Amino acid sequence: MTVNQRQMANAIRALAMDAIQAANSGHPGMPMGMADVATVLYSDFLKFDPADPKWPDRDRFVLSAGHGSMLAYATLHLTGYARPTMDNIRNFRQLHSPCAGHPENFELEGVEATTGPLGQGLAMAVGMAIAERHLNAVFGDDLVDHKTWVVAGDGCLMEGINHEAIGLAGHLGLGRLNVLWDDNRITIDGAVDLSSSEDIAARYAATGWHVVKCDGHDFDDIKRAMAEAVADPRPSLIACHTIIGYGAPNKQGSSKVHGSPLGDEEIAATRQQLGWDSAPFEVPDDILSAWRALGAKGASAKSEWQDRLSNSSKKTEFTRRTTGDVDSTAAMSAYKAQLAVDLPKAATRKSSEMALGPLTEAFPELLGGSADLTGSNNTKTSFTKPLNKDDYSGRYIYYGIREFGMAAAMNGMALHGGVVPFGGTFMIFSDYARPAIRLSALQGLRVVYVLTHDSIGQGEDGPTHQPVEQLQSLRMIPNLEVFRPCDAIEVAECWQLALERKDGPSVLALSRQDLAMVRTSVDSNLSAKGAYRIQTAGTARKVVLIATGSEVALATEVAAQLEAKGIGADVVSMPSMTRFLAQDAAYRNDVLPDDGTLRVSIEAGTTFGWSDITGSNGLHIGLDRFGASAPGKVLMDHFGFSADKITPQIIAKLG
C-alpha cells in the first residue's frame, strides 16, 4: 500500500504527543500543527543527507520556534539520522537525553542552531544566508549552492530582533532564505489578537521580502507556496495558516495545546481522529520506510558535490576555510616586531584596526562589520570591501543600528562555517546584544565582539554611554573569553588568541583614549595565560598591582610612587581574568604570591568580582556608581584613577 503524506505527517504528530506526554512537559501544539508543512519540506525541497550531517553544501534548517523541538527530533529520527534514537525520544527532556527541551546544536548533529529564545533562530538564519551568498561569490555554484529554511512562530515574529533581522535580510536581498511562518493565531496567553493587530505580511513586504500564503494542511497548496518562494529572488515569508495541535479533537486551535501535554484521554481521542493505531513510540514499517527513503535521496546530491569538489581548483582553499583552522603566527610576527620598535601611543580601538590589517590580508575568511559605528569601532580595513546585494564577495557588513541583529547574524555565520565573523559596537551597547552573545557562548561559536569605548575614559557622552558594570557582567557568561588589552602589543596578542579559539566567542574590550605602550617584548604571547608580571618590584615586594586595559599604564605610575617611598610593587597586567584563573596553581601563585603581599586591583569599572583575584583582604580601585559627562582625562582624575589618589590609599591599607 502506498504511504501518503498525511500518514507521514501523522508520524510526527504521534511521536510529538507521545514524547511530551512521557515527559509530562513540552509543547505539542506546534509540531502537530506544522507536521504537514515539515513533511512537504523534507519530501520536495530540503537538501540533506542523514549519513553526512555536516556536508557543507546541505540546506540549513533552523527551528526558530524551538519550543516545538519535537518537530526536529521526529524528523531527524524518521529520516534516518544516527541520533536521536527512539530511546532518546522516549527520554525527551530528561537528563542526558540529547532531546533537550529546546534544540541544542551541541547535542545532535542535524540541529543547526540552538534555539528557543524566540526570534534568535530566524536572526541566526539570516547570518547563515549571508555566509552562503558570500561563499558562493567566492567559490561558485559548483561548491556552494544551498538554501536556508526556517520554521518560525508568532513569537519569533513579535520579538524585537525580528525587526532587525528581516530589515538586514531584505536590504541584502538574501533570496536563498525562506521562512515558514506557523500562522496559527495562538500564543500561550490565548489568541494572538489579545496582544497584536499588526499586518505582518505588510511589514515583511515593506522590508523587501516576498510574501506568500498557503493552507498549512493542504499538501498541494504548501508545495505551491514553497515553490513560489524558491523561485523569487527576494527572501520569502511563507505564511502557513495552520491549526495548532492539529488532530487533537478537543484541544486543537486553542492555547490549551500550546505548552502542556495532551493527557492520556486526549491522546487516545487524537489517535482515533488521525487513524493512528500504533502503540506509543512505534512507527509502522511502511511509514518509516517512506521517511527513510526521503533521507536516502540526499546521498546522490552529496556524491555529485564531492566529485565537483575533488575536481575543483579551489578544493584546498575551500577545505581550509570549512575546517576553520587559523594559525596567525606568521601573519603577525613582522607586525608585532615592528610594534616593539615603534612603540605607538594609540587607543586600543586603533591598535585593533592596526592588527586587523595583516590579519584580514592573510585570512580571507575574516568577515567584519559594525553596528553603524565603523569610524569609532575601527573594524574596517583596506582588505574588507563592503558586502552588499550587488557584491556578496565583500567582507564588511554595514549592519546599521542593529546590535542584537548583528550579534545573532554573526552566530549564524559561525554556525554555517567557512567564515570567521567579527563585529563592533560600543561596549555599553553589548547590553542590546547580550542574549545573542550568550548564545554564542552556549553554542561554542568562534565570534569576535569588538567592544570599544570601554570605560568612563570615553568621556563627554556621559553616563548613558559609559560602561561601568558591563565588563564584569560579560566575564560572568560561561565560555565567553573577555580580553581587555593594555596596549598595541597586547591587542595583537588578544586578536590572535580570539581567532585561534574555535570553541567559543571572544570580547575585545577597547579604549577610546590613547594609551602609552607598556610592553616592549614580543618574543612570546604573554596574554595567552591571562595575566603576567609586566613589571617587577625594585625593592622588597609589599604590593602587587593588578590592572587591565587603560589602567595598566596607571598601575606603573602608582608603582613608581610606591617604589620612591621604599615600597616594592609588582605590576601585573591581566588581559583575561578567566584565562588566568584557568592556569595551574603554580603559575597563579608565581604571578600572585600567597605570601601576605597586598593585592590591589585597578580597573575603571565595578569592583564586583575582583575579590576572586585579590582575596578578602585586597584593595579594589574601581567605580561602583555611574559616570558623568566631561572629558575622559577629567573624569578619570575625578573618580580617583590617578597615581596621586591611589598611592595614599595603598599606603593607608598597608598600615
Side-chain angles (χ1 to χ4, degrees):
M1 182 181 295
T2 303
V3 172
N4 62 44
Q5 287 187 312
R6 179 74 70 198
Q7 290 171 302
M8 295 174 69
N10 286 344
I12 298 174
R13 295 185 173 100
L15 288 176
M17 65 184 182
D18 289 342
I20 292 165
Q21 185 65 27
N24 196 29
S25 174
H27 299 259
M30 191 281 272
M32 295 178 72
M34 285 293 282
D36 297 334
V37 174
T39 300
V40 174
L41 175 64
Y42 275 83
S43 297
D44 299 305
F45 293 94
L46 196 67
K47 182 172 66 171
F48 68 106
D49 181 8
D52 189 359
K54 297 297 186 183
W55 167 34
D57 201 36
R58 69 193 182 279
D59 284 354
R60 273 40 171 198
F61 171 60
V62 178
L63 189 68
S64 187
H67 57 277
S69 56
M70 272 308 306
L71 181 74
Y73 303 146
T75 51
L76 290 174
H77 175 77
L78 291 168
T79 52
Y81 285 79
R83 295 166 75 235
T85 64
M86 192 61 82
D87 279 344
N88 295 149
I89 291 175
R90 283 191 182 95
N91 288 293
F92 174 62
R93 286 187 166 224
Q94 305 308 301
L95 186 64
H96 303 309
S97 172
C99 296
H102 294 83
E104 306 284 4
N105 72 308
F106 50 84
E107 291 281 8
L108 286 171
E109 291 187 321
V111 171
E112 298 285 2
T114 291
T115 56
L118 293 178
Q120 287 205 57
L122 194 158
M124 286 187 282
V126 171
M128 293 177 185
I130 292 172
E132 189 275 338
R133 286 293 82 193
H134 172 71
L135 293 171
N136 172 270
V138 175
F139 293 103
D141 289 346
D142 282 351
L143 300 185
V144 184
D145 185 14
H146 55 266
K147 301 175 181 64
T148 303
W149 294 89
V150 182
V151 167
D154 290 301
C156 294
L157 274 57
M158 286 187 191
E159 289 284 358
I161 191 173
N162 182 262
H163 171 77
E164 298 183 26
I166 69 171
L168 181 62
H171 177 70
L172 293 177
L174 301 177
R176 298 302 183 92
L177 175 63
N178 301 296
V179 175
L180 298 160
W181 170 27
D182 180 18
D183 181 17
N184 60 32
R185 298 172 172 81
I186 294 292
T187 66
I188 289 179
D189 277 353
V192 166
D193 61 17
L194 287 172
S195 58
S196 179
S197 56
E198 65 185 289
D199 186 337
I200 289 175
R203 174 157 59 90
Y204 270 71
T207 57
W209 284 58
H210 163 245
V211 180
V212 60
K213 299 179 181 181
C214 69
D215 179 341
H217 301 299
D218 181 325
F219 294 97
D220 290 337
D221 202 34
I222 296 167
K223 185 174 180 179
R224 171 200 59 79
M226 289 188 187
E228 285 187 23
V230 168
D232 197 280
R234 296 166 291 178
S236 289
L237 176 71
I238 306 167
C240 305
H241 180 36
T242 61
I243 299 172
I244 190 170
Y246 181 90
N250 303 302
K251 294 187 176 182
Q252 68 177 21
S254 73
S255 60
K256 294 178 182 179
V257 76
H258 192 299
S260 301
L262 295 181
D264 292 333
E265 185 176 333
E266 185 71 3
I267 286 177
T270 303
R271 276 183 150 74
Q272 184 175 2
Q273 177 85 6
L274 298 176
W276 189 269
D277 54 12
S278 297
F281 301 106
E282 290 185 8
V283 178
D285 289 342
D286 56 345
I287 295 176
L288 183 60
S289 295
W291 272 107
R292 293 289 160 88
L294 294 183
K297 287 197 309 182
S300 59
K302 187 198 69 175
S303 178
E304 292 169 3
W305 176 85
Q306 287 177 322
D307 289 342
R308 295 195 299 272
L309 177 64
S310 296
N311 296 319
S312 174
S313 61
K314 299 177 180 179
K315 176 183 177 180
T316 300
E317 177 62 7
F318 181 86
T319 302
R320 185 191 71 79
R321 291 206 204 180
T322 53
T323 300
D325 293 329
V326 175
D327 182 354
S328 60
T329 304
M332 294 294 280
S333 58
Y335 168 73
K336 291 198 295 185
Q338 192 61 45
L339 287 179
V341 173
D342 296 341
L343 300 178
K345 181 179 182 180
T348 49
R349 60 174 176 151
K350 181 64 178 178
S351 299
S352 173
E353 179 186 48
M354 292 158 53
L356 277 170
L359 288 171
T360 53
E361 179 181 18
F363 299 105
E365 61 265 43
L366 290 181
L367 201 159
S370 172
D372 201 53
L373 291 167
T374 296
S376 296
N377 300 147
N378 300 101
T379 43
K380 192 176 187 307
T381 76
S382 60
F383 303 99
T384 54
K385 66 179 181 179
L387 183 156
N388 54 51
K389 63 182 178 182
D390 297 318
D391 184 4
Y392 292 116
S393 69
R395 296 165 56 199
Y396 194 82
I397 300 174
Y398 291 98
Y399 286 101
I401 304 90
R402 300 184 178 105
E403 295 88 355
F404 195 0
M406 174 183 73
M410 290 196 295
N411 285 344
M413 293 177 209
L415 285 163
H416 181 281
V419 298
V420 178
F422 65 94
T425 187
F426 288 174
M427 174 168 278
I428 195 70
F429 301 135
S430 65
D431 285 344
Y432 285 160
R434 189 179 183 88
I437 296 173
R438 185 176 188 271
L439 276 192
S440 302
L442 180 61
Q443 296 179 92
L445 303 179
R446 177 166 51 189
V447 176
V448 183
Y449 296 96
V450 180
L451 303 181
T452 67
H453 298 59
D454 68 350
S455 76
I456 56 170
Q458 73 98 343
E460 292 89 343
D461 280 341
T464 61
H465 281 54
Q466 293 165 2
V468 174
E469 75 279 15
Q470 278 70 24
L471 194 61
Q472 283 290 43
S473 72
L474 289 166
R475 287 174 177 145
M476 290 169 59
I477 298 176
N479 198 39
L480 176 65
E481 186 87 79
V482 178
F483 296 102
R484 191 170 187 242
C486 73
D487 64 11
I489 289 176
E490 278 197 359
V491 167
E493 291 179 338
C494 292
W495 258 114
Q496 289 183 272
L497 295 170
L499 294 182
E500 291 167 11
R501 183 175 188 237
K502 296 176 69 173
D503 59 356
S506 301
V507 163
L508 295 178
L510 306 173
S511 73
R512 178 194 186 193
Q513 69 272 32
D514 287 346
L515 304 180
M517 289 287 288
V518 184
R519 276 276 297 282
T520 57
S521 167
V522 294
D523 294 337
S524 61
N525 190 325
L526 298 180
S527 299
K529 291 189 174 181
Y532 60 95
R533 188 176 296 107
I534 200 167
Q535 185 172 301
T536 302
T539 56
R541 180 180 58 221
K542 295 182 180 179
V543 178
V544 177
L545 304 170
I546 310 154
T548 74
S550 52
E551 287 70 71
V552 174
L554 172 59
T556 64
E557 297 174 15
V558 174
Q561 289 194 3
L562 292 171
E563 294 279 351
K565 297 178 182 298
I567 301 170
D570 284 355
V571 177
V572 170
S573 177
M574 187 172 285
S576 172
M577 182 183 290
T578 53
R579 190 173 277 254
F580 173 72
L581 291 173
Q583 303 305 311
D584 59 42
Y587 183 79
R588 296 197 311 271
N589 290 337
D590 178 66
V591 175
L592 301 179
D594 190 14
D595 58 2
T597 301
L598 174 64
R599 299 180 186 178
V600 181
S601 66
I602 308 176
E603 185 172 71
T606 179
T607 60
F608 176 84
W610 269 104
S611 58
D612 290 345
I613 301 296
T614 64
S616 58
N617 294 319
L619 176 62
H620 305 138
I621 307 298
L623 189 67
D624 291 314
R625 54 150 291 177
F626 296 121
S629 181
K633 289 183 179 180
V634 173
L635 289 175
M636 294 297 273
D637 180 72
H638 174 73
F639 287 113
F641 293 96
S642 70
D644 288 343
K645 292 182 177 178
I646 294 172
T647 302
Q649 295 181 63
I650 295 173
I651 294 172
K653 183 73 172 180
L654 289 170

